[in-house]
Amino acid sequence: ERSEDIAGSIDRMTRADRARAILRDLPAAQRRMLELSLLEGKTHDEIARETDTPLGTVKSHIRRGLKRARD
């Protein structure tokens, strides 16, 4: 059991490192929108208001950022 816990922790750390590397490679605007959405749990509307960015642009940045991250 203990080795499974350790393996799970290592897997989570590896995934987190990979996610950080992927985010670092994104254009700044896409990265910021994804951070606000995924890490801070903000809605698209909240992000638009907070960043003074049109809602459609926020949605596009998030969509493109997620696509690049998946690729």
Side-chain angles (χ1 to χ4, degrees):
E1 255 182 76
R2 184 71 182 140
S3 62
E4 289 175 11
D5 291 344
I6 293 170
S9 292
I10 290 170
D11 182 55
R12 281 189 297 280
M13 288 174 15
T14 302
R15 287 176 185 229
D17 286 344
R18 189 166 167 229
R20 279 191 284 277
I22 290 168
L23 282 174
R24 265 194 313 270
D25 290 341
L26 293 175
Q30 289 177 5
R31 180 177 57 248
R32 182 68 181 138
M33 303 293 167
L34 282 174
E35 288 171 344
L36 290 169
S37 176
L38 300 175
L39 302 178
E40 296 185 25
K42 297 189 184 237
T43 66
H44 293 171
D45 287 328
E46 290 170 329
I47 295 168
R49 282 193 304 275
E50 184 175 315
T51 62
D52 196 29
T53 304
L55 180 59
T57 302
V58 169
K59 290 179 178 183
S60 293
H61 282 317
I62 291 172
R63 184 173 46 256
R64 288 182 189 131
L66 287 172
K67 183 180 180 333
R68 284 184 76 165
R70 276 191 296 257
D71 292 344

